[in-house]
Amino acid sequence: MTDPDESRSGDVRAAAREKARQLRTSQQRKDRRNKALLSGGIVIGVLAIVAIVAVVIMGAIRPTVPGPKNMASDGVVIGSGLKVKATPALAADAKPIASAPDPSASTVDIRIYADYLCKLCGQFQRTNLKQLQPLVKDGAVTVELHPVAIYTSHSAGTRYSLRAANAAACVANYSPKAFWAFNESLFTNQPVEGGPGLSDQQLKKRAAAAGASVSDVNSCIDDGRFKTWASTASDRALSGPIPNSDVKKMTNALLVLVNGKPYTGSLTNADDFKAFVLQAQGDEYSSTATPTPSPSAGS
């Protein structure tokens, strides 16, 4: 006859063994699942890193595109009658052709490198463009305007400096007669540093108000057609050298040169800059004036 206690003891041991088997099976399943998740996580992480690296590389390798017309020097040369000096579009990757002042002329050569978001740039342009305009019209002064995109990361993520420089290049390319007025309008009501700047739609409205061709300039702004050129031109200004001057490179978002000499005076006092221009004009006249022959010893 079977002992009831032994029977119960056997049932307990069997139940314990079954429980242990179930626990082992459950743990094995967890281990396999964790291993799969870990492997998948590693693969996803690697793919994410590869994607990030690809984005960085693609961002660093800018596609080569032709530059805008009338900006072969990376700037727009504006002379007598506020007329823009016509130049062909440079081929992709071509080096800019620095514009050389006429050594036989008494015209003062002014070159302005400025970022459309830069507060100091706005102060200088608002203070001096009005008094420069009649001098340029009369041919006493030549102004070369270089839009640069140095504050691209200072506009709450909208990359306003780059978009504005692109818009300026679009106007120079398709409607050069409107360039002076368009450039002035971006500084007259200038967005604040650190803010989002003007939208593309606002840039297009200002271009139209300046007299630019709506269809051509609008499509150019929408496409960001000259953004690559604007970035490259800005890099050139930052790395230097600055042509026709002793300045090695731009060190901030504004550089003003008068006959190759950097202006370091007040940005909000028109008289200071006027005096600097007149001095440069006098120096230029002195250096190019024909010397009066000295009387001969026998006269």
Side-chain angles (χ1 to χ4, degrees):
M1 182 174 178
T2 304
D3 187 343
D5 291 337
E6 289 183 1
S7 178
R8 284 196 297 272
S9 177
D11 291 342
V12 170
R13 288 195 295 271
R17 286 196 296 271
E18 177 60 22
K19 183 65 174 177
R21 185 189 67 77
Q22 291 176 356
L23 289 173
R24 286 196 301 272
T25 301
S26 177
Q27 186 61 45
Q28 288 171 351
R29 288 175 180 170
K30 288 181 180 178
D31 290 343
R32 286 196 296 270
R33 184 169 64 251
N34 290 339
K35 185 177 181 180
L37 290 173
L38 179 61
S39 299
I42 292 173
V43 171
I44 292 172
V46 170
L47 291 176
I49 293 172
V50 170
I52 292 171
V53 171
V55 169
V56 171
I57 292 175
M58 290 302 293
I61 303 175
R62 297 171 182 149
T64 55
V65 295
K69 291 188 293 186
N70 309 313
M71 298 189 78
S73 65
D74 282 349
V76 177
V77 181
I78 304 173
S80 181
L82 292 180
K83 292 182 180 178
V84 170
K85 179 182 177 181
T87 61
L90 293 180
D93 289 334
K95 293 183 178 180
I97 303 169
S99 56
D102 185 354
S104 64
S106 59
T107 303
V108 177
D109 178 66
I110 299 175
R111 305 186 183 209
I112 304 171
Y113 294 74
D115 187 305
Y116 287 113
L117 189 61
C118 159
K119 179 180 178 180
L120 298 180
C121 303
Q123 289 176 343
F124 174 82
Q125 300 239 9
R126 287 190 298 274
T127 300
N128 294 290
L129 283 185
K130 289 296 184 185
Q131 71 172 349
L132 283 177
Q133 183 169 322
L135 298 175
V136 178
K137 278 186 175 180
D138 293 342
V141 167
T142 296
V143 174
E144 184 169 337
L145 297 169
H146 289 257
V148 292
I150 295 175
Y151 283 2
T152 296
S153 62
H154 296 189
S155 53
T158 71
R159 300 173 67 81
Y160 173 66
S161 291
L162 183 60
R163 291 187 296 106
N166 170 73
C170 291
V171 173
N173 186 85
Y174 293 105
S175 298
K177 291 181 180 179
F179 189 87
W180 180 277
F182 178 68
N183 173 80
E184 186 177 17
S185 76
L186 294 188
F187 288 114
T188 299
N189 295 295
Q190 184 186 28
V192 297
E193 288 184 17
L198 301 176
S199 65
D200 284 352
Q201 188 61 32
Q202 290 172 313
L203 287 170
K204 289 186 284 189
K205 286 182 178 179
R206 294 206 183 184
S213 167
V214 172
S215 59
D216 291 331
V217 171
N218 283 5
S219 63
C220 181
I221 290 174
D222 288 336
D223 296 344
R225 199 163 301 167
F226 297 117
K227 281 184 178 179
T228 297
W229 169 85
S231 294
T232 304
S234 300
D235 289 344
R236 282 193 284 262
L238 287 170
S239 60
I242 304 298
N244 302 303
S245 76
D246 295 329
V247 178
K248 292 182 178 180
K249 60 183 179 181
M250 287 191 73
T251 55
N252 53 51
L254 174 67
L255 174 64
V256 180
L257 300 170
V258 179
N259 286 350
K261 299 177 181 178
Y263 174 67
T264 57
S266 171
L267 302 179
T268 57
N269 189 323
D271 290 337
D272 280 7
F273 185 65
K274 183 178 180 180
F276 191 78
V277 172
L278 290 174
Q279 180 182 356
Q281 190 176 33
D283 293 344
E284 184 69 20
Y285 177 79
S286 299
S287 64
T288 58
T290 303
T292 303
S294 302
S296 63
S299 59

